[in-house]
Each structure stands twice: as C-alpha cells, then as structure tokens.
Amino acid sequence: MSTSADPLAALGTLPGVGDTVDSVRKAVDRVYGHRVMRRRSNEVTSEAALRGARGSAALSGADWALEEVRRRTDFSGADGDSEAPTVGAALRLTAEAGQLLSIWRQSPLRVLARLHLVAAADRGDAVGRPRTPDEAVDEPLIDLPLPGADEVAGRLEGLSQLIISGSSAPALVSAAVVHGELLALRPFTSHNGLVARAAERIVLVGSGLDPKSICPAEVGHAELGRAAYTAALEGYVSGTPEGMAAWIAHCGKAIELGVRESTAVCEALQRGAA
C-alpha cells in the first residue's frame, strides 16, 4: 500500500480503478433511479439484506437456496445441520450492520469486535476480540498464510486509524481495502469472512454510495464464485499495484452484480403492483 498521507486515495489512482469506480457509481445510480424505489424502497432493502446474507453464507461454505433461507426459522444446528449456524450468523450480521453505522467512523475496532460477537454467538472467551498467539483460526475456505497475532494487532490499528482519519478515496476503494485487509489478517478465531463482508457493507452504506443498503455485494461475490474470490484476494495480499487493482475490480464487479439482483427485485415488485 502507498505510504502517502492518504494511502486509500492513492489506490484510487491505480490503472483501471477509476473506470471501475465510475462503472459502479453509474450502476448504483441506475437502481436508485428505478421508479419502485420511490415508494417501496424498504421492501427492496429487506430483500437485499436476505439475499446478501445468503451470498455471504455461501462463501463461508453454507450454500443454501434463497427460499430455504427465507423459510427456515431455526438456525441453531440442533437438528444436525452443520451449515445452519453459518447461515444464522450471516443473517444476524446483516441485521446488526445497520445498527453500527454511527460508531464505525469513531471506533471501527469496537464495531469489528461487535460483529464477531454477533456472528460467533457462543464461542466462549475467544469471542469479540482479536486472537492471541496460541489460538488457531477456523477459516478453512481461505488458504493463505496466516499473519501472527502481533502483526494482526498492528495492522488492525493501522486500518482503524485510516478509517478514523478519513479519506478522499472512493467508497469502493475504502470498502475493498477493509474487506481485503480483514480477510488477509483473519483477526478472529472464526467467522472472519462473514465479518469482513459485513464490514464492507458498512463502508458502502456509511459512505453514501449505497445509503439504503440495496446493492448487496455479497450476492455478487457469491455469484463470481469462491475460486475467483480467493484468487482476487491473493492479489490483495501480494500488495502489488496490479494485485490491489484486481481486488478492487473484483469488489466492484460484485457490487454491480448486487445491483443487478436488486434491479430484478424492483422489476418483480413493479410487475406485482401492475
């Protein structure tokens, strides 16, 4: 990452990133301009939340059909379904993220701790805090070298200071960096992917790019697939300009696919009202 006074803004000048930012902004503006959004935006937001949670859970290994997520009420896993708690965690995080927007810019580490607490729910004293050197990480779908606890603490503090200080970087760039950094660090003993995607959502909403939370990037990440997700993350972890730009482009494409999903929801609502 750049060592300039505003390293996030510096990432926005990487080749191709400006075009990605413009493309995402135009896509978001189009769905916000849909006639359904004038009267039924709350319905679109609710549906986007459900579909986003489903997509995030899929990337964490619980790839359920949307109607199954909609139908189920018990996600405890008491029936022996080992994937149910992951889906439940994704749903809880989606609901919680909207409550944390006002805290994020002042205390991002507090928000991350809260997100992990909500996701993990019942994992004892390892919940809601960064892992210690002697604790293992349960994140089997991300097969990248795991930074040590000391490095995690330092980089989390650096990320926190970037957020608190503010940046002129486009929302897409800031959201992609928060998402990528949390996946690279895996600061918690579990649920890091779910937390990283929830944090990305907080940035996109809080920045004003997607204030009504109707553009579920999680849907796009899931649609692009786990292999593409991890390959793009490797680019972020490499720290090279090309790798960072590729990760930002991947996140941008995910948002555009989320826009497409919500546009389809708008069209379905419009047909139903006709």
Side-chain angles (χ1 to χ4, degrees):
M1 216 184 282
S2 169
T3 57
S4 70
D6 190 348
L8 294 181
L11 291 176
T13 67
L14 291 174
V17 169
D19 290 341
T20 299
V21 168
D22 289 344
S23 179
V24 168
R25 167 52 73 185
K26 288 175 182 175
V28 171
D29 286 348
R30 281 196 299 273
V31 72
Y32 269 85
H34 197 286
R35 61 184 297 183
V36 165
M37 288 295 296
R38 290 198 291 270
R39 294 179 294 107
R40 306 181 71 178
S41 64
N42 287 344
E43 293 173 68
V44 181
T45 295
S46 296
E47 190 64 21
L50 183 71
R51 294 176 185 226
R54 192 218 73 83
S56 191
L59 284 168
S60 286
D63 192 359
W64 286 18
L66 179 63
E67 291 311 313
E68 178 65 8
V69 178
R70 199 190 304 278
R71 180 188 69 81
R72 287 281 287 266
T73 57
D74 180 8
F75 298 94
S76 66
D79 58 357
D81 190 335
S82 61
E83 295 182 355
T86 299
V87 179
L91 289 166
R92 291 193 300 274
L93 283 174
T94 299
E96 187 72 14
Q99 311 302 314
L100 299 172
L101 292 170
S102 63
I103 306 172
W104 175 255
R105 283 294 299 272
Q106 286 74 42
S107 185
L109 297 184
R110 179 181 163 198
V111 169
L112 293 175
R114 175 62 185 170
L115 290 174
H116 186 246
L117 181 66
V118 168
D122 60 354
R123 295 211 173 196
D125 62 3
V127 169
R129 60 161 177 78
R131 55 186 165 85
T132 59
D134 60 335
E135 289 177 328
V137 174
D138 179 15
E139 204 73 43
L141 300 177
I142 299 177
D143 186 21
L144 291 170
L146 190 67
D150 289 343
E151 180 181 350
V152 167
R155 287 173 62 176
L156 278 179
E157 182 60 31
L159 181 65
S160 175
Q161 289 306 312
L162 280 176
I163 294 164
I164 293 169
S165 299
S167 172
S168 62
L172 167 63
V173 173
S174 297
V177 168
V178 167
H179 185 173
E181 191 72 355
L182 292 174
L183 284 178
L185 294 178
R186 281 146 290 162
F188 303 109
T189 57
S190 64
H191 298 90
N192 290 286
L194 293 176
V195 168
R197 291 183 288 276
E200 179 186 49
R201 170 122 310 281
I202 287 172
V203 176
L204 292 172
V205 174
S207 67
L209 177 64
D210 181 19
K212 294 183 182 293
S213 195
I214 63 166
C215 306
E218 305 93 330
V219 168
H221 287 303
E223 186 171 335
L224 291 167
R226 216 173 291 157
Y229 187 65
T230 55
L233 178 61
E234 287 176 6
Y236 177 87
V237 171
S238 76
T240 65
E242 296 80 9
M244 298 293 284
W247 170 249
I248 294 168
H250 183 87
C251 291
K253 181 63 174 175
I255 295 170
E256 291 189 58
L257 290 171
V259 166
R260 188 178 70 180
E261 187 87 354
S262 285
T263 301
V265 170
C266 288
E267 294 294 332
L269 289 171
Q270 183 169 286
R271 287 193 300 273

